[in-house]
Amino acid sequence: DQQVKQNSPSLSVQEGRISILNCDYTNSMFDYFLWYKKYPAEGPTFLISISSIKDKNEDGRFTVFLNKSAKHLSLHIVPSQPGDSAVYFCAATGAGSYQLTFGKGTKLSVIP
Amino acid sequence: ETGVTQSPTHLIKTRGQQVTLRCSSQSGHNTVSWYQQALGQGPQFIFQYYREEENGRGNFPPRFSGLQFPNYSSELNVNALELDDSALYLCASSQVPSQETQYFGPGTRLLVL
């Protein structure tokens, strides 16, 4: 039973264009969502988060959008850079639970 | 500020053996969580430690156990290793248990033969 789903295993984008990574969740108790970036041989690095009381959060080139009614969130990267090439994980937590529940990840390749 | 560190980086064990993995939390963080990441999967929560006590546990059998020390460092112990235990084991720390954002170490790659 996968509570956090990232349905696209991979995504290729041209340098300078927008990258959009999607994530769906099923547990309505989740109230905080995070995106992590992971390079090979490294641990996940925190990128950006959003609370369920918001529908958008921006940090430089990264913006996360949350649609609670659709139980869907997305990460936008504009403009995409070759250094953004990594695996991106969507994670969720909430309802007093201390654990992060992760999706399977999306591998982003930014082509120069 | 020192980040989360883990040791060893790689480990090879035989089925049935026992293994201990170690983690030092980020400076100022008193809560440590452990995750298992199998190939092609996202990290899965094993358990969390706060003030030297287990503070929450995921769907892992009792042969997965842990410790947290007064300096907030932590150990993950796995007994009776099985082939399916082969994975990347990640440690994450946070300032308090309720802090949503957790900061991860580089992980320990365990291979069980």
Side-chain angles (χ1 to χ4, degrees), chain B residues 17-39:
Chain B
Q17 285 187 313
Q18 178 265 342
V19 69
T20 298
L21 311 181
R22 294 178 176 82
C23 169
S24 291
S25 60
Q26 185 167 314
S27 176
H29 289 186
N30 59 20
T31 302
V32 172
S33 301
W34 286 92
Y35 292 80
Q36 180 197 66
Q37 186 182 9
L39 204 60

Side-chain angles (χ1 to χ4, degrees), chain A residues 18-64:
Chain A
I18 184 171
S19 295
I20 300 176
L21 296 96
N22 293 304
C23 178
D24 297 293
Y25 62 97
T26 58
N27 189 338
S28 57
M29 300 300 285
F30 288 147
D31 59 11
Y32 198 83
F33 305 89
L34 308 90
W35 285 94
Y36 283 85
K37 178 170 73 172
K38 188 178 185 301
Y39 294 117
E42 293 184 15
T45 302
F46 170 70
L47 202 55
I48 192 169
S49 61
I50 187 166
S51 165
S52 60
I53 62 173
K54 294 185 174 182
D55 54 18
K56 178 182 173 182
N57 189 26
E58 282 182 88
D59 185 1
R61 298 186 297 115
F62 302 92
T63 302
V64 55

Side-chain angles (χ1 to χ4, degrees), chain A residues 48-101:
Chain A
I48 192 169
S49 61
I50 187 166
S51 165
S52 60
I53 62 173
K54 294 185 174 182
D55 54 18
K56 178 182 173 182
N57 189 26
E58 282 182 88
D59 185 1
R61 298 186 297 115
F62 302 92
T63 302
V64 55
F65 296 92
L66 175 62
N67 182 335
K68 289 185 291 292
S69 60
K71 293 192 175 69
H72 176 84
L73 62 154
S74 61
L75 174 68
H76 293 211
I77 307 173
V78 184
S80 301
Q81 300 173 354
D84 296 329
S85 297
V87 178
Y88 288 78
F89 289 100
C90 171
T93 188
S97 169
Y98 306 131
Q99 69 181 66
L100 295 175
T101 301

Side-chain angles (χ1 to χ4, degrees), chain B residues 8-9 17 27 34 46 48 50 55 57 61 64 66 69 73 76-77 79 83-84 90 94-95 113:
Chain B
T9 55
Q17 285 187 313
S27 176
W34 286 92
I46 303 174
Q48 182 184 82
Y50 171 63
N55 191 46
R57 188 178 185 93
F64 285 77
F69 300 100
S73 66
L76 164 66
N77 298 291
N79 293 322
L83 298 180
D84 284 349
L90 294 161
S94 55
Q95 286 182 321
L113 301 175

